[in-house]
């Protein structure tokens, strides 16, 4: 039971810090010192250490190469461009393979787009981003490779914080409609149109993030 309790505390601490980062309670470059985090959130050293490791792995914190100190980070312009280049590769391949997808994979595309629209009504920024990730991941899963899907999920983690910081109701509504339309086109086997809409959607997101990073 002690192990279960400790893992639960780690999850809670990670979620708390994520939410504080997203809502602007920390400036870019803020250091996250283990002892200071431990005292601030009144948790054990092991919980603090594991939570910080998770935040680093997911791209919320980066380790300063000179001091080895963990700091709050947001993606730089060149990183955003590289991630979106890779996203077009992965997601384009997913649509190319959709013609061979199983009924379960196609249903995941449909369900994830519907879930995104539902979350948009009252979801928090991070919840909206995670729901959108499920839509894109469902497309990549049509490739049929668990390894590629895992690589893609790791790629998305690099952008989750930056995207959550620019969420707005108007943009969310447009994004929800895009995903519903992409899903319908894939299910209707209109793969070329689906890929065009997908790439337009990705280009819009990349442009907005690059504007924020500049």
């Amino acid at each position: 039971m002690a192990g279960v309790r400790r893992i639960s505390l780690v999850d809670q601490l990670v979620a708390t810090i994520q939410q504080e980062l997203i809502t602007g309670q920390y400036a870019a470059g803020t250091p996250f010192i283990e002892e200071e985090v431990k005292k601030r959130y009144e948790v054990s050293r092991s919980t603090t250490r594991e939570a910080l490791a998770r935040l680093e792995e997911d791209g919320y914190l980066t380790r300063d190469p000179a001091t080895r100190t963990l700091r709050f980070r947001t993606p730089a312009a060149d990183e955003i461009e590289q991630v979106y280049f890779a996203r077009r590769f992965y997601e384009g391949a997913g649509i190319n393979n959709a013609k061979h997808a199983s009924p379960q994979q196609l249903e995941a595309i449909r369900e994830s787009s519907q879930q995104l629209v539902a979350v948009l009504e009252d979801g928090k920024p991070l919840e909206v981003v995670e729901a959108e990730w499920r839509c894109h991941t469902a497309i990549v899963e049509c490739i049929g490779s668990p390894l590629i899907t895992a690589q893609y999920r790791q790629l998305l983690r690099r952008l989750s914080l930056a995207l959550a910081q620019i969420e707005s109701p108007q943009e969310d509504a447009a994004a929800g409609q895009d995903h519903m339309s992409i899903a319908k086109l894939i299910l209707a086997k209109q793969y070329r149109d689906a890929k065009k809409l997908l790439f337009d959607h990705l280009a819009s997101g990349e442009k907005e993030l690059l504007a924020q990073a500049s």
Side-chain angles (χ1 to χ4, degrees), residues 12-27:
Q12 292 175 37
L13 181 56
V14 168
T16 296
I17 294 176
Q18 283 176 337
Q19 189 62 31
E20 291 179 349
L21 291 171
I22 289 166
T23 54
Q25 296 186 42
Y26 291 101

Side-chain angles (χ1 to χ4, degrees), residues 83-98 109 112-113 116 132-143 152 156 174-186 190-207:
V83 169
Y84 271 88
F85 177 85
R87 289 189 67 185
R88 291 182 183 92
F89 178 81
Y90 282 114
E91 296 182 40
I95 290 182
N96 290 341
N97 283 273
I109 291 174
S112 62
S113 65
L116 172 60
E132 185 170 358
W133 284 166
R134 287 192 289 272
C135 292
H136 290 278
T137 302
I139 293 173
V140 173
E141 286 177 336
C142 290
I143 296 173
Y152 179 76
L156 292 182
Q177 184 56 52
D178 277 355
H179 286 91
M180 288 291 290
S181 298
I182 292 167
K184 289 178 180 178
L185 288 169
I186 292 173
Q190 298 178 28
Y191 306 118
R192 181 175 298 181
D193 290 341
K195 185 182 289 188
K196 182 182 185 304
L197 181 55
L198 171 66
F199 282 14
D200 286 346
H201 174 78
L202 291 177
S204 177
E206 180 180 16
K207 180 180 179 180

Side-chain angles (χ1 to χ4, degrees), residues 102-185:
S102 68
Q104 292 79 12
Q105 289 171 329
L106 294 175
E107 179 63 15
I109 291 174
R110 185 188 66 80
E111 285 188 355
S112 62
S113 65
Q114 292 180 340
Q115 290 169 359
L116 172 60
V117 172
V119 169
L120 288 173
E121 294 181 2
D122 57 2
K124 298 177 182 178
L126 185 58
E127 293 173 348
V128 171
V129 170
E130 290 174 342
E132 185 170 358
W133 284 166
R134 287 192 289 272
C135 292
H136 290 278
T137 302
I139 293 173
V140 173
E141 286 177 336
C142 290
I143 296 173
S145 168
L147 176 59
I148 289 176
T149 299
Q151 292 173 338
Y152 179 76
R153 287 197 176 103
Q154 183 63 34
L155 191 74
L156 292 182
R157 291 193 185 104
R158 292 178 174 269
L159 294 180
S160 58
L161 177 60
L163 283 172
Q165 290 176 320
I166 61 172
E167 289 295 328
S168 74
Q170 185 175 4
E171 291 161 356
D172 288 345
Q177 184 56 52
D178 277 355
H179 286 91
M180 288 291 290
S181 298
I182 292 167
K184 289 178 180 178
L185 288 169

